[in-house]
Amino acid sequence: MKVVSTSKSHGGVQGVYSHASEVCACDMTFAVFVPPQAKDGPVPVLWYLSGLTCTHANVMDKGEYRRVAAELGIVIVCPDTSPRGSDIPDEKDNWQFGCGAGFYLDATQEPYARNYRMYTYVTAELPALVAANFDVDMSRQSIFGHSMGGHGALTIALKNPERFKSCSAFAPITQPSTAGWSRPALEKYLGSDEKSWRPYDATLLIEDGCRFDAFLVDQGTADGFLQDGLRPWLLDEACKKAGIELALRMQEGYDHSYNFISTFMEDHLKWHSRHLA
């Protein structure tokens, strides 16, 4: 692991790091905020997964999480959204696919299968690296994310309920297998057999028997992607049928931007902190 940069913030340290990823077959960059409480012993970990077109830097620069994370004593880990590099297969004119749009899945179709393995990266390789290099309590982990990252957080929590104490999302893609802006990506990464898409669709995972104790979801009513891409009512319907507790909060007048995310970031951090305690 290489240190790209570190900076003191609210008594803690905001760092950016890189490493050679075996899973994604390229160099990967990620951000970690370590609160001041870490000097006294291991602290819990909260994973934040970013959305389409983002890197680790978007939430780090605009998410406004450090003050509250420092108060609560929580490490915040922010992975990148996809493999990157000049030799990584990509569609440079398509913001919904390729670099910046890994969808937190393990691709099976060529030429993407070698690099686009973000599910394994986020659930196996990066956690091992974080555990080896930071003073964290890996028995206390939670996960959240925005948009594509909200989709990733929901699906990862549903498939790993024993690992995560809590899961929340800002404006998640709730059913990517039928949404116009995510369905083409799933087909390119996973092939035309839609059965292979089900492990990466929160509503279908619930339909197939996966369970998680409770979710918190914030969604802006002025979000331009609400009707076609996000559709939180589909998650609400799936959770009601399965008996999963879902706090779906429709926030009047808010859009899809980090102005929306930063407004409710403190709520989410405090919600996770209660579960991590």
Side-chain angles (χ1 to χ4, degrees):
M1 189 180 77
K2 298 178 181 178
V3 178
V4 177
S5 66
T6 59
S7 180
K8 187 172 182 178
S9 178
H10 297 281
V13 176
Q14 176 66 71
V16 177
Y17 308 90
S18 67
H19 71 112
S21 169
E22 292 184 9
V23 169
C24 296
C26 66
D27 288 344
M28 296 291 287
T29 302
F30 63 100
V32 180
F33 175 72
V34 178
Q37 294 86 339
K39 67 180 182 295
D40 298 321
V43 289
V45 182
L46 179 56
W47 298 84
Y48 179 87
L49 306 184
S50 291
L52 288 163
T53 74
C54 292
T55 69
H56 68 281
N58 294 75
V59 68
M60 188 180 75
D61 294 341
K62 297 181 284 187
E64 300 181 20
Y65 58 79
R66 280 175 286 269
R67 176 185 61 81
V68 180
E71 292 174 1
L72 298 173
I74 300 174
V75 163
I76 309 292
V77 182
C78 309
D80 202 347
T81 53
S82 75
R84 296 181 189 272
S86 58
D87 58 342
I88 302 297
D90 188 20
E91 292 184 1
K92 296 186 183 303
D93 59 346
N94 183 0
W95 63 276
Q96 297 170 329
F97 183 77
C99 289
F103 279 91
Y104 302 101
L105 52 75
D106 283 349
T108 59
Q109 302 300 298
E110 298 300 339
Y112 310 107
R114 179 172 182 266
N115 304 107
Y116 287 85
R117 301 179 61 204
M118 290 302 295
Y119 177 81
T120 297
Y121 178 72
V122 169
T123 61
E125 186 177 40
L126 188 55
L129 189 68
V130 168
N133 288 277
F134 299 91
D135 201 4
V136 291
D137 181 357
M138 298 300 281
S139 70
R140 291 188 292 159
Q141 297 183 65
S142 290
I143 190 167
F144 69 149
H146 169 234
S147 193
M148 178 186 71
H151 137 77
L154 292 170
T155 58
I156 289 171
L158 282 164
K159 288 189 283 189
N160 300 274
E162 72 291 338
R163 178 185 298 189
F164 298 102
K165 303 293 185 183
S166 54
C167 175
S168 71
F170 301 99
I173 305 172
T174 63
Q175 195 175 84
S177 63
T178 61
W181 68 341
S182 50
R183 181 181 171 86
L186 295 189
E187 184 169 5
K188 291 175 185 178
Y189 286 135
L190 302 172
S192 59
D193 183 358
E194 296 185 20
K195 291 180 181 178
S196 66
W197 305 1
R198 297 184 75 88
Y200 303 106
D201 185 307
T203 61
L204 299 183
L205 282 168
I206 293 171
E207 184 179 302
D208 290 344
C210 292
R211 295 292 182 266
F212 199 78
D213 287 343
F215 297 117
L216 169 64
V217 172
D218 275 315
Q219 171 65 62
T221 62
D223 191 322
F225 303 115
L226 177 59
Q227 296 296 325
D228 296 328
L230 308 175
R231 303 173 297 166
W233 51 86
L234 298 178
L235 180 65
D236 190 36
E237 292 170 3
C239 286
K240 285 178 179 176
K241 288 181 181 178
I244 297 173
E245 180 182 343
L246 169 64
L248 174 58
R249 309 192 306 183
M250 300 300 296
Q251 304 292 359
E252 187 65 33
Y254 284 90
D255 59 18
H256 200 69
S257 72
Y258 268 92
N259 293 323
F260 157 64
I261 296 168
S262 62
T263 299
F264 300 102
M265 178 63 77
E266 182 170 349
D267 286 359
H268 283 243
L269 293 181
K270 289 182 175 178
W271 187 77
H272 286 293
S273 180
R274 290 193 293 271
H275 289 81
L276 288 167

